[in-house]
Amino acid sequence: MDVVQVVSTVAVVAAVVTALMTLRERHRPGPALPVAAMLLLAALWAIVGLLLGAVDSVGAKAAVFRLIFPIGALLAGAALWQAAVLAGRSGFLRGRRLLLLLLEPVVIAVVAVTDPAHHLLLASTRVEGEAFYLTFGPLAWVHIVLCFALVGLAVAWMVAAMRQAIPAHRWRYGAAILALGLPLLGAIISVDQVSSVGARDLAGALSVVTAAVWWWAGLRHEAAASVPIGLGQVLTALGDAVVVVDPSGRVVQANPAAERLVRSAAPDVAQVTGVHWASLIDSATAEQIRSPAQLVTLNGRVFDVRVTGMHAAGRRNGTVVVLRDVTDVERLRAELADQATHDGLTGMRNRRYLDQVADSLVAGARRRGVPLVAVMVDIDHFKLVNDLHGHAVGDVVLQAVARELMAQTRPDDVWVRFGGEEFIALVPDADLGTVLARAEELCRRCRDLRVPSPTGEIAVTVSIGLVARAADGTLDELLRAVDVALYQAKASGRDQVAVGLAVAEPVSLDVRLAVD
């Protein structure tokens, strides 16, 4: 037994053991099934090589050698299947392609059985000493070229996938290429030397490398249990729209999220890649994308836009545009902002909102020379309502008064719940007499309110202070003055409107305690 036969024997055992080990992972998404099939077929190939050396007659050797043709066809198909799974091209092996791939081993097996009658596979055979020489027929060369082409395609797929894989998974493609490449090299050498040196099964012997690689990869890293992750898979999984544009402006890559986004905006677009980016969107949208910001589509979706240039050898070789749908985030942000400036009980604006807009209202009134009137409303004896009827009834009273206030509000007026039972408004572009009439009407409407409670209806009255901004008055002076006017109304008997001066000193604490 020579070295080739010894190695072939080891290859048979190693391939079968590794195939059985790999089959344990057949229910997982990796290439376990095609790898196991490839290993078992490699073991059969090596067995044929061992049988070739065990028989002596030319007829027996030729009959054994013909078995290599259908096994080789199946082995090439298994290699392509494995590469398709690893490279994410399983969809390629469907329909007619799969049928043709399965049909070739059947056809070549029939031709091998009938070959003694037509010699399309083995044109001539002879034995000299221990060497078995043969000459391939025309159909054998067609079969050999086809098998090498399938294996070459498998290697090309894996090389392309390795370039697109994440760095941590590239070694797995390298291992698969090594496991397939060395037996392929042995087959090429065997075919080249079969008529001059004799038939030697180097491919079967070198399949020990295939078994060793997959044994190591499976034992250490479970390589047959999962498919390596490629950059394309990462882009596909992203919910963000990613578009890659070359220097000429043509889209060279767009992930599914980007294609969906473009088609929602431009239903007539048949294909995103290969077209100029400016033809996919209108000029206004293009201008928005040029300056990274937020993009609002016609259907109301909001996208955060990020534009990043790519450079190679000191020159810009492309641009990546990432659009993230932030509609829900912006809606939540708007809701939170709205909640931050609204009073949850009455639905009115709160004091924080007044702080945000008051200075600009005062400055705008001063700049345009128009009036700005401050109105402060306080519910009379509100503490007594809470003490006698409970806070739940007090809340109903607050809500009822707030509705009356808002019913008297113009679009430009700013009404807020200032705190507790106090409300304040800044009324721009309205003279004092007009606002006074509205305030008195508000007093009357609140006087007519009747709020239900467990002990009967509650009558409600309000006191109102009213002040017009002095020509050079500040916001603090205006608020201080309207506060004084309110307490004048309360000190005068409540349920009335008091008009104060735009500039006033704050009322003393004693006065406040006396009327509160």
Side-chain angles (χ1 to χ4, degrees), residues 332-415:
L332 178 60
R333 183 180 297 170
E335 290 175 356
L336 291 175
D338 188 68
Q339 291 173 8
T341 57
H342 275 80
D343 174 52
L345 178 63
T346 62
M348 297 179 69
R349 298 285 189 176
N350 59 18
R351 188 166 183 170
R352 176 178 294 182
Y353 181 76
L354 181 66
D355 293 339
Q356 293 175 359
V357 302
D359 286 334
S360 62
L361 284 174
V362 172
R366 181 184 298 115
R367 184 176 60 255
R368 298 192 310 273
V370 296
L372 179 66
V373 179
V375 182
M376 182 173 281
V377 178
D378 185 274
I379 301 175
D380 295 329
H381 304 298
F382 183 73
K383 183 176 182 302
L384 189 60
V385 172
N386 280 335
D387 292 343
L388 293 178
H389 303 283
H391 288 278
V393 174
D395 290 346
V396 176
V397 170
L398 285 169
Q399 291 169 340
V401 171
R403 284 194 296 270
E404 295 299 330
L405 298 181
M406 297 307 294
Q408 298 290 311
T409 300
R410 302 177 310 167
D412 293 337
D413 297 347
V414 176
W415 269 106

Side-chain angles (χ1 to χ4, degrees), residues 24-25 38 40 47 193 204 216 251 278 289 354 386 405 411 472:
R24 293 182 300 180
E25 308 291 347
M38 190 172 62
L40 291 175
I47 290 172
Q193 297 181 348
W216 170 79
V251 177
I289 291 179
L354 181 66
N386 280 335
L405 298 181
D472 57 348

Side-chain angles (χ1 to χ4, degrees), residues 425-502:
L426 294 180
V427 184
D429 296 338
D431 61 83
L432 187 61
T434 301
V435 179
L436 176 59
R438 289 170 56 193
E440 290 175 343
E441 171 64 14
L442 178 61
C443 261
R444 185 194 64 77
R445 292 173 65 91
C446 289
R447 190 182 304 126
D448 294 338
L449 280 176
R450 294 296 180 269
V451 177
S453 76
T455 58
E457 291 185 336
I458 301 173
V460 178
T461 62
V462 296
S463 298
I464 301 177
L466 198 65
V467 173
R469 181 190 65 86
D472 57 348
T474 65
L475 175 63
D476 288 340
E477 291 171 341
L478 185 63
L479 296 180
R480 187 167 64 241
V482 76
D483 186 54
V484 171
L486 170 65
Y487 280 92
Q488 288 175 347
K490 295 175 76 69
S492 299
R494 294 184 170 85
D495 189 18
Q496 58 185 281
V497 180
V499 179
L501 299 174

Side-chain angles (χ1 to χ4, degrees), residues 127-143:
V127 175
E128 294 182 5
E130 295 183 356
F132 175 53
Y133 298 90
L134 57 89
T135 303
F136 289 123
L139 193 58
W141 285 113
V142 172
H143 166 76

Side-chain angles (χ1 to χ4, degrees), residues 39 53 67 94 178 221 314 320 323-324 348 358 389 394 444:
L39 289 169
L67 295 175
R94 291 178 183 173
L178 176 66
H221 303 282
V320 178
L323 298 97
R324 171 170 294 180
M348 297 179 69
H389 303 283
R444 185 194 64 77

Side-chain angles (χ1 to χ4, degrees), residues 232-253:
Q233 291 175 282
V234 175
L235 288 177
T236 299
L238 284 176
D240 298 346
V242 180
V243 179
V244 182
V245 182
D246 67 14
S248 67
R250 294 196 174 277
V251 177
V252 294
Q253 188 170 10

Side-chain angles (χ1 to χ4, degrees), residues 69 72-74 76-77 104 142-152 184:
F69 290 102
L74 291 171
E104 203 271 341
V142 172
H143 166 76
I144 291 170
V145 170
L146 177 61
C147 288
F148 282 166
L150 291 177
V151 176
L184 175 62

